[in-house]
Amino acid sequence: MRVVIGEDEALLRTGLTHVMQAAGFDVVAAVGDAHGLVRSAGEHVPDIVVTDIRMPPDHEDAGLRAAVEIRRERPEIAVLVLSQHLQRAYAVELLGDRPSGVGYLLKQRIADIDTFTDDLRRIAAGGTVLDPEVVSLMVARARGHHDALDRLTPRQQQVLALMSEGRTNASIARTLSITERAVVQHTSHIYDELDLAPSEDDHRRVLAVIRYLSS
């Protein structure tokens, strides 16, 4: 699996490279600014781009801007953005109209190497991974502005929050100590409350997550 890294701190950039290479990833480029990230993504066409949000030249959200540009130009490239701070707007913008193959994690999550590399593989395979703290912030904000969420039971809200972290039904069942069948039933009720009818063109699981994350 080919990876391009964007991180302006040399020590962290080197650390990420070693971690990923040790886990079997092929790091084809590691750059320190947003312009170099876009250029490297276009040149190498990796399976996934991993980037810090705050990078040169503006040291604000240049990494995010680069990630959005890469997704716009080459939607087949998965993207994981890393941040030291919670920003709901960043996650919503990154998810955009194509929420598959996207991740947003706080940098502290890198310390758990096994989970981090598992998240990388999930994102590269087309999954969506959001930091639990980001999800909690979004859910809290959404509950105050979305009547449909208020109609969900506490258990359904827990299931939806875990769905937003990119968890599978099996993972949700283990976390909540319920059966996978119960997870499926809760998920079905969530779709009903959010008025998400079955469709050949839309992925209801992703739409359910986006519906309340962007509310």
Side-chain angles (χ1 to χ4, degrees):
M1 190 177 301
R2 293 157 55 83
V3 183
V4 167
I5 298 172
E7 169 59 55
D8 64 317
E9 294 183 15
L11 184 60
L12 183 53
R13 185 168 65 246
T14 300
L16 283 170
T17 299
H18 288 324
V19 165
M20 292 182 198
Q21 289 177 334
F25 294 91
D26 179 15
V27 179
V28 295
V31 301
D33 64 84
H35 296 316
L37 181 63
V38 173
R39 184 172 58 252
S40 294
E43 177 182 349
H44 296 285
V45 193
D47 298 291
I48 185 168
V49 165
V50 180
T51 180
D52 188 4
I53 285 181
R54 295 186 176 182
M55 291 178 63
D58 63 9
H59 292 283
E60 293 183 359
D61 63 353
L64 176 69
R65 302 268 75 77
V68 171
E69 181 179 343
I70 290 168
R71 292 277 291 173
R72 183 174 61 248
E73 297 297 327
R74 293 186 177 273
E76 73 275 15
I77 298 178
V79 170
L80 168 61
V81 299
L82 303 172
S83 177
Q84 291 182 333
H85 309 285
L86 293 175
Q87 288 288 348
R88 173 183 178 275
Y90 288 166
V92 171
E93 182 169 0
L94 181 66
L95 290 166
D97 296 327
R98 293 188 300 273
S100 61
V102 173
Y104 179 14
L105 293 174
L106 294 180
K107 282 188 174 181
Q108 67 196 51
R109 305 296 174 189
I110 302 174
D112 186 341
I113 294 175
D114 290 340
T115 299
F116 175 64
T117 53
D118 284 346
D119 287 341
L120 279 175
R121 292 187 178 92
R122 189 188 311 170
I123 296 165
T128 303
V129 175
L130 297 178
D131 193 283
E133 291 190 31
V134 175
V135 172
S136 296
L137 175 66
M138 290 178 165
V139 171
R141 191 74 64 85
R143 281 175 180 163
H145 301 284
H146 201 310
D147 292 340
L149 284 178
D150 294 335
R151 295 197 298 269
L152 299 181
T153 67
R155 179 62 88 189
Q156 289 165 359
Q157 292 175 352
Q158 288 177 321
V159 170
L160 186 52
L162 291 169
M163 285 168 55
S164 301
E165 294 176 19
R167 304 288 191 93
T168 63
N169 284 353
S171 176
I172 293 172
R174 287 194 300 270
T175 301
L176 299 180
S177 299
I178 59 178
T179 66
E180 286 191 53
R181 182 176 180 180
V183 173
V184 172
Q185 291 174 337
H186 287 309
T187 302
S188 178
H189 290 311
I190 289 169
Y191 295 154
D192 290 341
E193 292 295 346
L194 298 182
D195 297 321
L196 295 173
S199 169
E200 294 183 357
D201 298 322
D202 298 318
H203 194 309
R204 289 195 296 171
R205 192 181 187 93
V206 173
L207 290 177
V209 171
I210 299 304
R211 177 72 60 85
Y212 81 85
L213 294 187
S214 60
S215 66

